[in-house]
């Protein structure tokens, strides 16, 4: 038997409850074995029910996490960003969108040494250019290949 305890961040697994520990779930049988074997699980119904995701759900979660990590690491120089936009015939349109933007966005466009994929400015420009998240990702991937 194992117990899952709510710790403020998530649930932690322990072999037995500490005095006064609550809330916790008592886990036995095949559910216990699956958790001990490292199967992914989630708590639903306000933490009262343990549910095991399907392989398709696990694959989707992994893909989403990998994409989020990739986006967080996408950083390109000012030159690379503008060159990628130029190669996709979007530089003039982006410059026009920035001309209509607030002063801080204009300052960032003119003076930033690098652009980050997850930045509000990049997402704003992407929206102004009617680019999907996937198209922005592809622009950053292209930009990362451009060398001076």
């Amino acid at each position: 038997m194992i117990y899952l305890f709510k710790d403020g961040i998530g649930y932690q697994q322990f072999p037995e409850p500490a005095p006064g520990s609550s809330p916790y779930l008592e886990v036995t049988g095949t559910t216990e074995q699956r958790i001990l074997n490292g199967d992914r699980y989630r708590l639903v119904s306000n933490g009262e029910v343990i549910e095991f995701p399907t392989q398709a759900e696990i694959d989707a979660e992994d893909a989403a996490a990998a994409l989020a990590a990739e986006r967080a690491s996408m950083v390109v120089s000012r030159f690379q960003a503008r060159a990628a936009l130029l190669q996709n015939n979007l530089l003039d349109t982006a410059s026009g969108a920035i001309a209509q933007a607030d002063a801080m966005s204009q300052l960032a466009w003119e003076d930033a040494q690098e652009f980050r994929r997850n930045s509000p400015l990049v997402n704003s420009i992407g929206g102004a250019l009617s680019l999907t998240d996937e198209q922005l990702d592809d622009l950053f991937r292209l930009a990362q290949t451009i060398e001076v």
Side-chain angles (χ1 to χ4, degrees), residues 67 71 74 117 133-141:
L67 181 58
R71 285 178 176 162
M74 289 179 159
R117 169 62 182 87
D133 282 337
E134 292 76 20
Q135 289 170 316
L136 271 174
D137 295 340
D138 288 341
L139 271 174
F140 266 80
R141 290 180 189 114

Side-chain angles (χ1 to χ4, degrees), residues 61-111:
E61 290 170 5
D62 289 348
L67 181 58
E70 179 188 18
R71 285 178 176 162
S73 71
M74 289 179 159
V75 180
V76 298
S77 72
R78 173 184 164 84
F79 171 78
Q80 289 172 310
R82 290 181 174 214
L85 288 167
L86 180 66
Q87 288 182 9
N88 282 275
N89 297 315
L90 295 170
L91 183 58
D92 290 340
T93 308
S95 296
I98 288 294
Q100 304 301 315
D102 62 86
M104 187 63 77
S105 295
Q106 291 177 17
L107 184 65
W109 178 251
E110 293 302 322
D111 294 337

Side-chain angles (χ1 to χ4, degrees), residues 5-56:
F5 292 89
K6 181 77 171 157
D7 69 358
I9 298 171
Y11 278 81
Q12 300 296 320
Q13 177 182 316
F14 291 95
E16 63 182 62
S21 296
S22 66
Y24 66 88
L25 291 176
E26 185 176 291
V27 183
T28 60
T30 57
T31 300
E32 174 187 16
Q33 285 305 309
R34 288 187 69 183
I35 291 172
L36 291 174
N37 287 335
D39 288 2
R40 287 192 197 173
Y41 65 92
R42 58 180 163 246
L43 297 163
V44 296
S45 300
N46 293 323
E48 298 298 321
V49 177
I50 297 171
E51 179 179 274
F52 294 95
T54 65
Q55 188 60 50

